[in-house]
Amino acid sequence: MNDKPIRVGLVGLGRMGQNHLRILSMLKGVELAFVADADAAVASRHGATHGVPGVSSLDGVLDSADAVVICTPTVTHADYIRMVAGKVRNIFVEKPLADTLEQAERVARFAAEQGLNVQVGFIERFNSAVQGLKQVLDKSERVISIDFTRTNKLSARITDVDVVTDLMIHDIDLALYLNGAARSVAAHGFAHGEMIDFASALITHENGRFSRIQASRITEKKMRLIEATCADMFVDCELLRKEIIISRKSEIRQAEGQPYTISAVQEAIEVRPQEALLSELQAFVASCRGQRPADLPGVEAGLAAMQISDEIQKAVAA
């Protein structure tokens, strides 16, 4: 497989699925095996455009694939993973891993039993600003707390999951990625009917760090912010503009016997303009060839994020 192109099948041709299709169709070392969607006309149209089978059922097409990318509605993730696993062991599934914690736990056990290579679509790990931030924090004297803010307007296309599973789960994963395993979780929020539209959570990590996470889809402004308070600096990270600003203290003493002043020195970190989805799928293809990075978000990361999400949802509902 190392010398041949990886043949990838794509399941789900909604907005996110079409983004994946765009990248997969131009990715070096990748050939599309098929595209699939519940809407046969949509599948047929995209299949014809790319010169591959466009199907509404996976019967008979999985044998042609080395890997499968699943971009279907959340409630179908677990079923598709089980369906695909009979023929293909390399599986990319968009976040979240499943629609409930119970389903996620079953998928995790199933993946371990079957020896599957599963990557969960936590795309923000591949945001070049996040990668730059991680490098900065790894060199910090001490990270104390990281604040995450993620807001969207309410979208008519998101009807099956709440704000925790839709938006906050990205930052839950980043909190665990940057600050390590969680020790405790506290949360509050606002629900419209049974659907949570605003949530705020405090995660205390096993290493003593804190993560404060706020997510809203009733805010008339789109924000993607990470702010890190460290013993030796404060870091602003803007994910949309891919900007990192470090503020450090500098001590300037005056003449002997006079008071001294303390001023802040700001430093901008250069961030490369790399598309996160491209980096994410390149990492998946590398893992299909046996070159799996240690921090690639697999089924364990997907389950860990779901466990925290479940605690937050229960706290908000209480």
Side-chain angles (χ1 to χ4, degrees):
M1 189 182 290
N2 284 337
D3 297 324
K4 300 188 302 181
I6 302 293
R7 291 184 55 78
V8 180
L10 175 62
V11 185
L13 291 166
R15 192 175 78 173
M16 197 62 197
Q18 290 180 44
N19 286 334
H20 278 268
L21 179 58
R22 173 177 56 83
I23 299 295
L24 289 170
S25 64
M26 69 179 194
L27 202 57
K28 184 178 179 181
V30 168
E31 288 182 1
L32 278 172
F34 64 84
V35 294
D37 193 85
D39 187 323
V42 169
S44 179
R45 183 172 72 252
H46 286 288
T49 299
H50 293 276
V52 297
V55 299
S56 58
S57 168
L58 299 186
D59 292 341
V61 295
L62 290 174
D63 286 327
S64 67
D66 302 310
V68 170
V69 172
I70 299 171
C71 298
T72 58
T74 301
V75 294
T76 68
H77 285 181
D79 288 341
Y80 272 113
I81 289 171
R82 294 188 186 95
M83 189 186 311
V84 167
K87 298 286 186 179
V88 180
R89 68 171 299 274
N90 298 303
I91 301 171
F92 179 104
V93 59
E94 265 303 337
K95 65 82 192 167
L97 180 60
D99 61 323
T100 66
L101 177 57
E102 182 182 13
Q103 281 282 23
E105 290 170 340
R106 289 176 180 172
V107 168
R109 288 194 297 269
F110 176 77
E113 291 166 359
Q114 299 296 316
L116 302 179
N117 172 37
V118 177
Q119 180 175 332
V120 181
F122 288 122
I123 191 171
E124 292 289 29
R125 285 205 194 190
F126 300 89
N127 187 315
S128 51
V130 170
Q131 290 299 313
L133 174 65
K134 187 175 189 305
Q135 291 176 11
V136 170
L137 297 181
D138 285 346
K139 297 175 183 176
S140 171
E141 177 184 315
R142 181 188 173 194
V143 178
I144 298 170
S145 180
I146 306 181
D147 293 354
F148 302 83
T149 304
R150 185 174 298 261
T151 68
N152 261 11
K153 295 180 181 179
L154 185 61
S155 172
R157 73 182 183 88
I158 304 294
T159 59
D160 61 333
V161 292
D162 64 15
V163 73
V164 178
T165 309
D166 177 28
L167 292 181
M168 183 179 267
I169 197 165
H170 280 296
D171 293 319
I172 293 170
D173 175 67
L174 288 182
L176 298 176
Y177 177 53
L178 296 172
N179 279 341
R183 185 169 67 212
S184 65
V185 180
H188 63 270
F190 168 79
H192 184 263
E194 296 183 356
M195 199 67 79
I196 300 170
D197 289 326
F198 173 91
S200 181
L202 171 64
I203 300 175
T204 302
H205 296 267
E206 291 180 354
N207 58 10
R209 297 180 183 181
F210 303 97
S211 294
R212 298 189 300 180
I213 309 177
Q214 181 170 293
S216 170
R217 58 183 186 190
I218 53 174
T219 302
E220 292 299 309
K221 182 179 180 181
K222 184 174 183 177
M223 292 186 286
R224 302 285 188 272
L225 306 175
I226 304 177
E227 299 169 305
T229 300
C230 306
D232 53 342
M233 60 183 164
F234 181 83
V235 188
D236 283 295
C237 181
E238 218 290 345
L239 300 186
L240 294 176
R241 294 195 302 271
K242 293 182 169 53
E243 294 178 350
I244 300 174
I245 303 294
I246 300 175
S247 298
R248 304 181 192 270
K249 289 180 183 177
S250 67
E251 218 174 77
I252 306 174
R253 289 190 177 273
Q254 304 299 316
E256 188 174 345
Q258 298 296 317
Y260 64 85
T261 61
I262 300 176
S263 62
V265 174
Q266 288 195 337
E267 173 188 353
I269 303 298
E270 185 176 353
V271 177
R272 58 189 175 87
Q274 174 81 7
E275 184 176 359
L277 184 57
L278 173 60
S279 298
E280 184 178 42
L281 288 175
Q282 285 174 330
F284 176 58
V285 171
S287 77
C288 295
R289 298 185 185 279
Q291 303 158 10
R292 186 180 179 91
D295 59 355
L296 198 72
V299 72
E300 299 85 2
L303 178 58
M306 287 291 295
Q307 289 168 335
I308 302 296
S309 297
D310 186 68
E311 288 192 58
I312 293 170
Q313 289 165 328
K314 287 178 179 175
V316 172

